[in-house]
Amino acid sequence: MKFALPLLFFFLAISHSAVSQRQHLIDSLLTDLKRLKDDKKTAGIADTTLRDTSIIFTTTRLGILHLRDIPDSALFYARQVVEMSQKIDFKQGLSDAYNILGVASKILGNYSAAIDFYMRSIQMKEVLKDSFGLAASYANLGEVYRLKANYPEAVKNYLLSLRLDEALRNETGIAYGYNYLGAVYADLKDNKRALENYKAALAIRQKLGQDAGIANGYNNIGSIYMQDGKYAEAMENFEASLRIKEKIQDTFGMANSYVNIGEVYKNQGKQELAMKNYNLALQFQQEIDDQEGIADTYIAMARSLIETKQLGEATTLLTNAISIAKTIGNLGYVQEGYETMAHVDSMNGNYKQALEHYKLFITTRDSITNETNTKKLVETQMQYDFDKKEIQTKTEQDKKDLIAQKKLQRQKLMRNGFMGGFAVVLLFAGIFLSQRNKIKLGKKLSDELLLNILPAEVAEELKAKGSAEARHLDLVTVLFTDIIGFTEISHQMSAAELVNEINFCFSAFDRIIDTYGIEKIKTIGDSYMAAGGLPTPNTTHPVDVVKAGLEMQQFMKQHKQDKIDSGKIIFEIRLGIHTGPVVAGIVGVKKFQYDIWGDTVNTASRIETAGQAGMVNISGTTYEYVKDQFHCLPRGHISVKGKGEVEMYFVT
């Protein structure tokens, strides 16, 4: 099944023109190009640069017009633009050409080249300060990463694009952003979020009257309905999409629609109609050399042939599909190909080969959907939501400050008018005192903000010297927590709900560690890190940190019960503690933070991973410092990654 993700490029409207109109434009541009080149041969030196840039712009438009149907020609024209632009150091020409080369390479299935060209385009657009073009290039880059199943990188670039488009109030770009995010969630089988994003994109495109975007919106929404088994709704959306694509002569899009209509028929058991639509799609895809689409259609056709027991033909198609998918680097289709091939082998009674193909399917699938990648994806989305919320809060506060400032100015004018000369003196005195108080208040606020980021001792050193030296501390106690099953939970909650829930728990942890004089180091997604015994060493930190850990787990147990009572999703945490030496200091020069390093930190993290829900898991080292204060249950030596056997205890 194919999701429709149109090429996001700044001359997109041209590439969706009707065939006859596009050919007329091509003929006209070729005539103009010949005239410009002929004129250049006889032109004076003063006209050279102007004529060069005119030739570059004309050649660029020719490349754009060939993108959809003849990507090889688009590559040819774009390379000419690069060569000409480099000679006269014309950055705008280079930027546009690299974007065309990226789009054409993506269509032809050369994902590595596409990434390289998009990165070059982004560099040029940053130099040119072209925010509009930069947003488009980030979105294009994200789409290639999505096709390579690198979802964290895909979402990172989509959100960079979306943030720029929101700042520019570029509704077309915002629609693209929602569309691309929907595709990621669809790939990860999170249909609820996918549908939310697709519908948001469609609403914007309907408002703007963009036929191509509306067609793609219907297509994507239909794909989600089909995955959910709602075939009538799926067919209604696919046919609506196809009608628009036929009207605007979008060959690429028509092929996409025929594949999806074929899928509906296949799922309904109408294999003859399914194959008819697949073959229509394949004809269009072969015409424009759409390697990605051909691989997808081969897999779809193979699955239909399996239903009618034509296993030999199905095997041939799957072999070809896997070969194409490997060549272009599309892991999603490699995964689907191996999974379907294992099914065919099993039906043929070739169980040994079926097992080999199934192993290849599992290996490919795990490389795409491993927990690390999924967690990175959720953290990227959360960070975007945090940043967006922070910007909104700051904007609202700025408005309030402006209103208050204007009100104060009006009051001062009235006071001046009534009180005369003597009042002027008092006014100046008042202003002086007010400014002094504001300075004091500003200093107090800045000090409080600094103390919220850094320990007091480090903050004072930073203010006095402008820097703070890293220190070796012989003994501190490090605490880590982590939400159990966070990846699965994140799929069941909206981003806003997830952020609010984590904020609620971490705020409680902040209050608990503050009670025991423990420093919060940082949070990383769903992980919380704190340490006792720094920056000023003390002798009570092992006991203090264990007490804080017990309170954290008690808080989470009560919170879990409250969630159960209200029928909501529950959170549980693992918690690990270890004591030992660390190096502590400030990281970076922008958005700096106080951090700690060393084997003690790594060991504490491993002990947390080896913990259990609701328990405080401590190392044997920490146990030696707290055994007289707490009752501890020995767990023996437990093997942990990178550390071998580590002695652990539960504090009960």
Side-chain angles (χ1 to χ4, degrees):
M1 177 170 46
K2 289 276 285 180
F3 295 98
L5 293 167
L7 308 176
L8 184 55
F9 194 68
F10 49 90
F11 288 126
L12 188 63
I14 296 175
S15 66
H16 284 305
S17 303
V19 172
S20 58
Q21 181 186 355
R22 185 162 64 246
Q23 189 56 52
H24 175 74
L25 281 168
I26 290 172
D27 293 341
S28 175
L29 288 169
L30 285 170
T31 301
D32 289 344
L33 187 61
K34 184 177 184 306
R35 178 182 56 78
L36 285 166
K37 288 181 176 179
D38 289 342
D39 288 348
K40 184 181 175 184
K41 293 175 183 178
T42 57
I45 295 174
D47 297 324
T48 299
T49 302
L50 179 60
R51 293 184 186 280
D52 281 342
T53 53
S54 297
I55 290 171
I56 287 170
F57 279 127
T58 303
T59 309
T60 299
R61 286 169 63 85
L62 282 166
I64 295 164
L65 286 165
H66 284 88
L67 268 174
R68 280 285 184 180
D69 298 332
I70 317 174
D72 284 321
S73 294
L75 287 173
F76 170 76
Y77 287 118
R79 286 174 180 139
Q80 286 189 331
V81 172
V82 170
E83 185 178 344
M84 289 185 289
S85 298
Q86 286 175 335
K87 285 181 179 178
I88 63 172
D89 192 26
F90 185 42
K91 292 182 174 58
Q92 182 64 58
L94 283 171
S95 171
D96 296 346
Y98 287 141
N99 219 13
I100 297 171
L101 288 166
V103 174
S105 298
K106 180 260 178 187
I107 293 172
L108 293 169
N110 190 347
Y111 296 156
S112 298
I115 289 172
D116 179 58
F117 287 131
Y118 286 143
M119 291 298 292
R120 294 188 196 186
S121 177
I122 286 168
Q123 289 172 356
M124 289 292 104
K125 291 182 188 303
E126 286 175 340
V127 172
L128 293 165
K129 301 188 185 303
D130 177 9
S131 297
F132 185 87
L134 195 58
S137 290
Y138 276 132
N140 281 333
L141 180 59
E143 171 57 5
V144 181
Y145 278 122
R146 186 189 74 83
L147 292 171
K148 288 174 68 67
N150 187 342
Y151 296 119
E153 280 299 311
V155 169
K156 183 181 81 173
N157 283 282
Y158 290 156
L159 293 179
L160 284 169
S161 171
L162 187 56
R163 188 176 286 117
L164 284 167
D165 283 322
E166 286 175 337
L168 294 165
R169 298 186 179 179
N170 175 18
E171 290 188 287
T172 297
I174 293 169
Y176 274 104
Y178 286 135
N179 202 45
Y180 282 116
L181 288 171
V184 171
Y185 287 123
D187 286 349
L188 295 173
K189 309 304 180 188
D190 189 344
N191 289 356
K192 179 182 175 184
R193 289 187 188 176
L195 197 58
E196 288 172 358
N197 280 280
Y198 285 149
K199 286 185 175 179
L202 178 60
I204 294 172
R205 285 162 170 168
Q206 287 174 327
K207 171 188 168 186
L208 299 175
Q210 297 173 337
D211 283 345
I214 294 169
N216 291 323
Y218 284 137
N219 183 87
N220 294 337
I221 290 169
S223 299
I224 298 301
Y225 282 135
M226 185 162 64
Q227 286 185 2
D228 291 339
K230 299 177 179 178
Y231 299 131
E233 293 92 333
M235 185 65 85
E236 181 182 350
N237 278 276
F238 289 150
E239 289 179 340
S241 176
L242 180 59
R243 284 193 296 271
I244 297 173
K245 289 170 182 175
E246 287 174 337
K247 170 187 164 187
I248 63 176
Q249 289 294 295
D250 178 4
T251 305
F252 187 92
M254 285 190 286
N256 191 359
S257 290
Y258 282 126
V259 171
N260 287 336
I261 290 171
E263 285 286 280
V264 176
Y265 283 130
K266 179 183 77 67
N267 291 338
Q268 291 177 324
K270 302 173 182 178
Q271 305 309 328
E272 187 176 343
L273 287 172
M275 290 299 290
K276 177 182 176 182
N277 280 276
Y278 292 148
N279 279 305
L280 285 169
L282 194 59
Q283 288 174 22
F284 286 123
Q285 289 160 347
Q286 289 171 337
E287 280 178 20
I288 61 175
D289 196 23
D290 176 12
Q291 293 296 304
E292 176 197 333
I294 291 169
D296 179 61
T297 303
Y298 279 159
I299 293 171
M301 294 173 80
R303 288 173 175 166
S304 182
L305 290 169
I306 289 169
E307 297 295 323
T308 55
K309 303 295 188 292
Q310 299 178 65
L311 304 183
E313 293 179 43
T315 300
T316 301
L317 287 168
L318 290 170
T319 302
N320 292 336
I322 292 169
S323 175
I324 293 170
K326 284 182 176 179
T327 300
I328 66 177
N330 190 316
L331 292 181
Y333 291 150
V334 173
Q335 171 192 325
E336 289 184 40
Y338 280 134
E339 182 183 22
T340 312
M341 188 74 89
H343 181 51
V344 173
D345 291 334
S346 180
M347 291 178 69
N348 278 324
N350 191 349
Y351 300 115
K352 182 178 179 181
Q353 190 63 41
L355 179 60
E356 291 303 314
H357 281 130
Y358 189 74
K359 286 179 180 177
L360 289 169
F361 156 67
I362 293 296
T363 301
T364 310
R365 183 198 65 186
D366 290 348
S367 71
I368 295 172
T369 59
N370 64 69
E371 185 172 353
T372 301
N373 278 347
T374 307
K375 197 167 182 177
K376 282 182 184 176
L377 177 115
V378 174
E379 287 172 3
T380 303
Q381 178 73 53
M382 284 171 56
Q383 186 62 53
Y384 173 75
D385 292 332
F386 271 128
D387 291 345
K388 191 171 182 179
K389 190 173 183 180
E390 185 179 341
I391 291 169
Q392 289 173 342
T393 303
K394 185 178 184 303
T395 302
E396 290 171 5
Q397 186 60 47
D398 288 345
K399 287 180 180 177
K400 290 178 182 177
D401 290 345
L402 183 61
I403 292 170
Q405 186 180 3
K406 287 182 177 179
K407 185 176 180 181
L408 181 62
Q409 288 172 347
R410 285 197 299 270
Q411 289 173 347
K412 286 180 181 179
L413 288 171
M414 290 174 65
R415 193 162 59 242
N416 285 342
F418 280 110
M419 297 185 66
F422 181 67
V424 170
V425 177
L426 291 178
L427 179 62
F428 277 115
I431 291 173
F432 173 77
L433 291 172
S434 174
Q435 288 299 107
R436 189 173 65 179
N437 289 336
K438 283 182 179 179
I439 292 169
K440 285 183 179 179
L441 179 60
K443 185 175 183 300
K444 181 183 177 184
L445 290 172
S446 66
D447 287 346
E448 288 175 354
L449 180 60
L450 196 59
L451 289 172
N452 195 37
I453 300 171
L454 304 173
E457 180 181 312
V458 177
E460 289 301 321
E461 183 181 358
L462 185 65
K463 287 192 293 182
K465 297 166 55 179
S467 62
E469 295 181 3
R471 297 178 56 194
H472 180 273
L473 298 164
D474 292 330
L475 203 68
V476 301
T477 301
V478 181
L479 173 149
F480 271 97
T481 75
D482 187 69
I483 295 172
I484 298 172
F486 178 73
T487 302
E488 289 75 19
I489 291 170
S490 68
H491 290 160
Q492 302 172 44
M493 302 175 71
S494 69
E497 290 171 332
L498 196 62
V499 169
N500 290 336
E501 182 66 19
I502 291 176
N503 181 61
F504 178 75
C505 295
F506 285 0
S507 296
F509 292 176
D510 288 346
R511 291 190 290 271
I512 291 168
I513 66 169
D514 191 53
T515 303
Y516 292 99
I518 299 166
E519 284 293 336
K520 177 181 179 180
I521 304 300
K522 59 186 172 184
T523 61
I524 310 167
D526 64 314
S527 180
Y528 185 97
M529 178 184 176
L534 53 77
T536 304
N538 63 58
T539 58
T540 63
H541 58 83
V543 172
D544 294 337
V545 174
V546 171
K547 285 182 178 179
L550 290 168
E551 281 199 31
M552 288 178 178
Q553 287 290 23
Q554 185 58 41
F555 167 81
M556 292 303 296
K557 287 175 185 176
Q558 181 59 53
H559 187 48
K560 174 184 175 182
Q561 189 58 52
D562 293 341
K563 290 287 185 181
I564 292 172
D565 293 343
S566 59
K568 295 181 179 178
I569 297 169
I570 63 170
F571 276 42
E572 293 183 294
I573 64 167
R574 288 184 294 261
L575 191 151
I577 298 172
H578 178 57
T579 303
V582 301
V583 174
I586 293 177
V587 179
V589 293
K590 286 183 68 178
K591 295 186 178 180
F592 49 72
Q593 67 175 52
Y594 185 71
D595 207 349
I596 58 177
W597 305 270
D599 186 65
T600 298
V601 177
N602 297 331
T603 303
S605 176
R606 299 302 184 203
I607 288 169
E608 173 267 304
T609 304
Q612 294 179 12
M615 304 299 292
V616 174
N617 191 33
I618 65 173
S619 67
T621 305
T622 303
Y623 169 75
E624 292 301 323
Y625 290 98
V626 304
K627 61 185 178 182
D628 296 331
Q629 299 283 337
F630 303 99
H631 182 268
C632 300
L633 177 69
R635 301 182 65 198
H637 287 76
I638 296 175
S639 178
V640 295
K641 183 179 179 182
K643 298 293 175 186
E645 301 285 328
V646 179
E647 186 180 15
M648 299 185 199
Y649 294 80
F650 280 142
V651 182
T652 59

